[in-house]
């Protein structure tokens, strides 16, 4: 049981920090542009409802929403970027990382689902005075910008993600501003790792083969640098997460004290309707480290990459994760 609890605490910590790192990666690294002429496949069976309140029919079979599930949306937020959708400007930042944690309260198991920040979705546009103006098709990350940068932004994003996932209910949320990476890493005493490549173009300390302890400032350089002479920012982010994982695993209490440190120092950068006690209760769950991804393809838009969801594949994924087949 202790190993399961330790693993759960590790996943909670890593999820929160990944949210910050992924936000940085989305802002500075971006995705490779792709052009696609293939139209989205026609959906063979449109569910009647996926709101958890009724039965649905899919591919000739009857299903009911699994009421044992509880969902939590993790958001990594960049609040420094001004987002523009058509003529209207949102100034509350973007949710550049979206990870849905699905808890099966009966089986005490979890599923992680990542939603691309570039997913083209219905985004509600609000004016500066907060009045609703229109709904436009835009990158789902921009929905956060039309709230208050805190609870309202999280609630709008939660609604947009739920709509994208066929109205799957999302019960809780936690957003973490990526600017919190510096104080968080400093609070836990830094992260020690061996530099696998020559990254001295980013900082003289990043000598290939050297073992260094990254404080908050060095961590920010390591995971966010967009120096054109250095390749592999996403690889550096992965390297850091792996090193952080090793640090958490090496603690005597399996990461419990580190989780509390993260929670304490992260408060100015966190917006959530969760309590620390609730997060710690997740420790009884069997954490699956695999992260599923909403299926689709990236296309080059006029200004930015655009991710178009594969509706047929997404429906099948939603059925598999959130529904139970009803015996005839």
């Amino acid at each position: 049981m202790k190993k399961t609890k330790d693993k759960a605490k590790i996943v909670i910590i890593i999820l929160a920090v990944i949210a910050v790192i992924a936000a940085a990666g989305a802002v500075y690294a971006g995705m490779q542009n792709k052009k696609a002429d293939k139209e989205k496949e026609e959906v063979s069976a449109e569910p009647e409802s996926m709101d958890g309140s009724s039965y649905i029919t899919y591919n000739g079979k009857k299903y009911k929403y699994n009421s044992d599930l509880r969902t939590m949306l993790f958001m990594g937020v960049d609040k420094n970027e001004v987002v523009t959708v058509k003529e209207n400007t949102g100034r509350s930042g973007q949710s550049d990382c979206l990870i849905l944690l699905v808890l099966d309260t009966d089986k005490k198991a979890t599923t992680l689902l990542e939603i691309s920040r570039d997913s083209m979705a219905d985004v509600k546009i609000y004016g500066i005075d907060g009045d609703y103006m229109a709904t436009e098709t835009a990158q789902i990350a921009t929905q956060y910008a039309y709230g208050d940068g805190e609870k309202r932004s999280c609630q709008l994003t939660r609604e947009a993600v739920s709509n994208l996932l066929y109205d799957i209910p999302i019960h809780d949320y936690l957003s973490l501003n990526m600017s919190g990476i510096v104080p968080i890493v400093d609070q836990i005493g830094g992260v020690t790792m061996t530099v696998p490549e020559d990254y001295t173009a980013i900082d003289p300390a990043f000598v290939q083969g050297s073992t260094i302890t990254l404080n908050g400032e060095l961590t920010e350089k390591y995971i966010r640098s967009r120096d054109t002479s250095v390749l592999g920012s996403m690889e550096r982010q992965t390297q850091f997460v792996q090193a952080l994982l090793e640090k958490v695993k090496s603690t005597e209490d399996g990461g419990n004290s580190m989780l509390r440190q993260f929670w304490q120092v992260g408060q100015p950068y966190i917006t959530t309707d969760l309590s620390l006690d609730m997060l710690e209760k997740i420790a009884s769950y069997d954490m699956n480290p695999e992260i599923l991804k909403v299926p689709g393809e990236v296309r080059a838009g006029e200004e930015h990459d655009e991710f178009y969801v594969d509706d047929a594949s997404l429906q099948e994924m939603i059925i598999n994760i959130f529904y139970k087949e009803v015996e005839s």
Side-chain angles (χ1 to χ4, degrees):
M1 179 63 71
K2 184 177 186 298
K3 286 186 177 180
T4 300
K5 289 184 177 181
D6 291 350
K7 187 176 181 182
K9 289 169 187 150
I10 290 170
V11 170
I12 293 169
I13 296 169
I14 297 301
L15 259 180
V17 178
I18 282 177
V20 176
I21 294 172
V27 174
Y28 292 103
M31 301 176 69
Q32 182 179 2
N33 289 339
K34 294 180 181 179
K35 291 187 179 295
D37 296 323
K38 181 181 178 181
E39 296 295 326
K40 285 192 290 186
E41 298 178 3
E42 293 294 327
V43 179
S44 58
E46 183 70 23
E48 301 164 1
S49 171
M50 282 198 170
D51 60 4
S53 62
S54 63
Y55 294 96
I56 64 169
T57 301
Y58 179 77
N59 284 347
K61 296 181 179 180
K62 194 175 182 180
Y63 295 86
K64 184 176 182 179
Y65 182 81
N66 183 356
S67 59
D68 292 325
L69 301 182
R70 177 167 180 161
T71 54
M72 301 177 183
L73 182 63
F74 286 80
M75 291 166 271
V77 177
D78 167 36
K79 291 188 178 179
N80 300 319
E81 182 173 344
V82 175
V83 184
T84 302
V85 179
K86 293 198 171 180
E87 298 84 11
N88 307 300
T89 301
R91 299 182 179 275
S92 296
Q94 296 186 68
S95 53
D96 285 311
C97 173
L98 296 166
I99 298 176
L100 188 66
L101 174 62
V102 184
L103 305 172
D104 189 319
T105 60
D106 178 44
K107 297 180 180 179
K108 301 297 183 183
T110 67
T111 301
L112 294 173
L113 179 62
E114 181 180 354
I115 300 96
S116 170
R117 55 96 60 213
D118 293 324
S119 297
M120 301 305 289
D122 289 339
V123 171
K124 293 183 177 180
I125 310 301
Y126 292 84
I128 296 176
D129 56 2
D131 291 338
Y132 171 76
M133 299 178 66
T135 296
E136 304 284 355
T137 299
Q139 292 171 316
I140 199 168
T142 62
Q143 181 64 87
Y144 192 97
Y146 293 96
D148 58 359
E150 295 183 353
K151 289 185 179 181
R152 179 60 176 161
S153 289
C154 290
Q155 291 164 352
L156 287 173
T157 301
R158 174 170 61 182
E159 181 181 345
V161 172
S162 175
N163 290 341
L164 184 71
L165 301 181
Y166 293 97
D167 295 323
I168 288 300
I170 299 177
H171 303 100
D172 311 294
Y173 60 79
L174 186 151
S175 73
L176 186 60
N177 190 335
M178 71 179 189
S179 62
I181 192 67
V182 173
I184 288 173
V185 173
D186 283 340
Q187 177 67 26
I188 64 175
V191 175
T192 301
M193 63 175 294
T194 299
V195 181
E197 304 289 342
D198 178 18
Y199 297 137
T200 52
I202 299 174
D203 190 281
F206 300 155
V207 177
Q208 183 176 8
S210 63
T211 299
I212 61 174
T213 297
L214 300 175
N215 60 15
E217 183 180 355
L218 285 176
T219 296
E220 187 172 34
K221 286 184 179 181
Y222 197 82
I223 67 175
R224 294 182 63 183
S225 175
R226 54 176 177 174
D227 190 303
T228 56
S229 65
V230 179
L231 301 177
S233 60
M234 295 301 294
E235 287 80 1
R236 295 196 306 276
Q237 294 159 21
T238 300
Q239 294 156 11
F240 173 79
V241 169
Q242 290 171 337
L244 175 63
L245 176 60
E246 290 302 316
K247 180 180 178 73
V248 177
K249 287 168 63 178
S250 67
T251 58
E252 293 183 359
D253 63 356
N256 187 56
S257 60
M258 193 174 295
L259 174 59
R260 289 188 174 275
Q261 289 178 34
F262 157 75
W263 187 258
Q264 180 181 9
V265 75
Q267 284 302 304
Y269 311 95
I270 293 172
T271 301
T272 185
D273 56 0
L274 286 165
S275 66
L276 178 58
D277 288 341
M278 182 59 207
L279 287 175
E280 290 185 329
K281 285 180 182 178
I282 303 173
S284 62
Y285 287 73
D286 180 19
M287 289 289 175
N288 183 352
E290 179 185 5
I291 300 181
L292 304 177
K293 296 179 183 294
V294 168
E297 62 182 4
V298 180
R299 303 178 189 173
E302 293 182 2
E303 298 182 6
H304 305 285
D305 286 337
E306 298 175 351
F307 184 86
Y308 288 86
V309 172
D310 183 325
D311 290 329
S313 297
L314 176 59
Q315 285 192 18
E316 182 178 2
M317 176 179 282
I318 293 295
I319 291 293
N320 291 336
I321 296 175
F322 296 96
Y323 283 79
K324 292 181 178 180
E325 185 176 351
V326 178
E327 298 294 335
S328 301

